[in-house]
Amino acid sequence: MRMPVLAAALLLAAAAPSPVPSPSQIAAAAPDADWRAVDPDRLLVMELADGRRIAIELAPDFAPAHVANIRALARSGWWDGAAIVRVQDDYVVQWAGAGGRHLPDGVAAHPPAEYDRPAAGLVLRRLGFPDGYAPMTGFAGDWPVAGDGHRIWLTHCYGMVGVGRDMPPDTGDGSELYAVIGQAPRQLDRNIALVGRVLDGLPALASLPRGTAALGFYAEPGQRVPIRRVRLAADMPEAERPRVEVLRTESASFHRYLDASANRRDPFFVRPAGGTDLCNVRVPSRIR
Amino acid sequence: MRMPVLAAALLLAAAAPSPVPSPSQIAAAAPDADWRAVDPDRLLVMELADGRRIAIELAPDFAPAHVANIRALARSGWWDGAAIVRVQDDYVVQWAGAGGRHLPDGVAAHPPAEYDRPAAGLVLRRLGFPDGYAPMTGFAGDWPVAGDGHRIWLTHCYGMVGVGRDMPPDTGDGSELYAVIGQAPRQLDRNIALVGRVLDGLPALASLPRGTAALGFYAEPGQRVPIRRVRLAADMPEAERPRVEVLRTESASFHRYLDASANRRDPFFVRPAGGTDLCNVRVPSRIR
């Protein structure tokens, strides 16, 4: 079989250390001090009925009321026996609670529309390349963000998790969530509360059969993908918790990773772009 | 079940015509004159063993030597009994020929590296929003492109099809192809020959199980997804050919679609972005 896109680069790297590492090689070589362990109180673990697990880091710094709701929903067993109900190609995977509409105690029915927040109090490390949607983009607290100097907001990159809502903006309570599985739908930025991102297990969601009803909903209940349960890692027995780490975006390793992403000099490439897009720079994560 | 992201907008639109249509409503309402039928000589039809079909529009205006190779390969039965060998999440699906390395007659082993072309002779209709990779982006001949005033090139948007190659740039002959199934990997622009785009059937590729070997290759031959055959539509009995149409990017309908994509004023949205990204504006297509 012919050697395909990028395979050659990998094999060459294996044969003799490349003088110019790829972004993923830079991340893999980052020292332990450059990684941040995700707090178990900020880690949501979804188990599909077939046993596969999806680990989601929550973002209380951006959507505290929604994250409080999601923690309360998880603790109440809201998603035990729930299901994935929608998979729209190049867009989102969405899951709903198993029960009806009665929210458990401690869950706010109408949290504020946390679509952005004041820029003050967060350091936005700028990407430094133009963006089609916002005056500036970059990373804050290791999250992909955009901003306008006054406000700052999470961006709808691949793997980001948001809150489904009805038409009025304050109707998203966190009881239905979606994850992005396509080209970043950044038209949704500042229109929906983003609450986290999938750090492990995303391929299990992105490879699900697409729904054939309008908007990618599964046409038949039997097509839905059953969810066993969703728990906060802090509520799991310690031995069962996934230990997820994120590369610190203020680290020297991340700076090198970013530079290498925008200027591919590893052997496969003949012409580095000299730029990149916020959502094409996935913040590296790993499982310990 | 709670009404989820965007479902409300659709239902409202169904109940009473919205005063501000969504981009997809604008495309659906475009008059027949605004659509271009894809020439059967530029349409590649891949049939999976399970009967699903994927229709790929070829781009001879950008990669004539590679497209000539692909036509000759299809006519020789190169992909009859072939297989999808690689599915890397948020990146590409890739398929190889069934045979060994012996290319059929009429297929150039070392076509020129058609990674870009002179800007002269093509009209680039500019998107008008900043881009992280290139001085300008827009559409040319209904294709998503970037340019620098002198050269113009196809961009690695979701669904675009390119030519796998080895390390030296002239080693991509068209015998292995890939389709983009994630956030646009535009670092590959001008580094690989793009030869077309999937216009129908992309979900069948994007939902395949991800490969677990390095770079998303399937670890076991039994995991490969069998391809029955790949034909040029022009070589198919007329009754079997898919009839695919593309919305003309110079049409008034496309201008409205583009404006609505960058400025979502349909009911679900509370804050239009006022901009967009080239690869988040999929050129609409339809099956007649």
Side-chain angles (χ1 to χ4, degrees), chain A:
Chain A
M1 190 177 55
R2 143 156 250 117
M3 224 177 337
V5 181
L6 298 184
L10 188 86
L11 294 177
L12 190 79
S18 162
V20 181
S22 69
S24 58
Q25 289 169 329
I26 291 168
D32 285 349
D34 286 355
W35 296 86
R36 169 179 61 79
V38 176
D39 185 332
D41 197 46
R42 295 185 173 202
L43 193 64
L44 200 66
V45 181
M46 177 158 71
E47 285 176 60
L48 301 183
D50 65 11
R52 287 184 293 179
R53 297 206 306 193
I54 290 97
I56 297 168
E57 182 182 18
L58 297 171
D61 295 336
F62 291 89
H66 285 86
V67 167
N69 267 12
I70 290 166
R71 286 185 177 124
L73 287 160
R75 290 197 162 119
S76 78
W78 179 260
W79 290 289
D80 295 0
I84 292 164
V85 295
R86 175 191 187 194
V87 183
Q88 184 171 355
D89 194 57
D90 192 19
Y91 200 45
V92 296
V93 169
Q94 187 166 322
W95 54 100
R101 300 286 303 107
H102 185 72
L103 293 172
D105 287 348
V107 176
H110 299 284
E114 298 169 318
Y115 303 163
D116 55 18
R117 54 154 284 169
L122 282 182
V123 176
L124 191 166
R125 295 170 197 280
R126 295 184 68 162
L127 181 66
F129 302 111
D131 182 71
Y133 298 90
M136 58 183 85
T137 63
F139 301 90
D142 308 330
W143 294 88
V145 297
D148 63 6
H150 305 287
R151 310 287 293 178
I152 192 170
W153 55 93
L154 294 174
T155 48
H156 275 81
C157 298
Y158 200 93
M160 291 293 285
V161 173
V163 170
R165 67 163 169 88
D166 287 339
M167 199 66 82
D170 67 349
T171 53
D173 51 32
S175 63
E176 291 208 15
L177 301 174
Y178 64 88
V180 171
I181 58 155
Q183 178 69 23
R186 295 211 20 223
Q187 69 278 12
L188 297 175
D189 292 357
R190 306 184 91 182
N191 283 281
I192 303 188
L194 285 168
V195 292
R197 60 180 157 189
V198 178
L199 289 183
D200 191 51
L202 189 52
L205 301 180
S207 62
L208 291 173
R210 277 45 179 162
T212 54
L215 302 169
F217 280 87
Y218 286 128
E220 307 295 334
Q223 297 172 322
R224 294 179 186 167
V225 179
I227 293 169
R228 182 183 297 159
R229 56 184 170 180
V230 176
R231 290 178 292 177
L232 211 55
D235 297 335
M236 297 169 66
E238 221 174 301
E240 288 181 34
R241 296 177 189 167
R243 293 177 196 282
V244 188
E245 297 183 348
V246 173
L247 190 62
R248 298 178 191 275
T249 55
E250 78 272 22
S251 69
S253 296
F254 186 81
H255 287 189
R256 283 197 300 273
Y257 170 85
L258 185 56
D259 174 67
S261 298
N263 303 284
R264 296 295 296 259
R265 303 179 201 94
D266 39 319
F268 183 80
F269 288 83
V270 294
R271 188 192 292 266
T276 188
D277 179 78
L278 177 68
C279 288
N280 200 20
V281 183
R282 190 95 75 90
V283 178
S285 61
R286 66 179 186 183
I287 301 288
R288 290 301 278 174

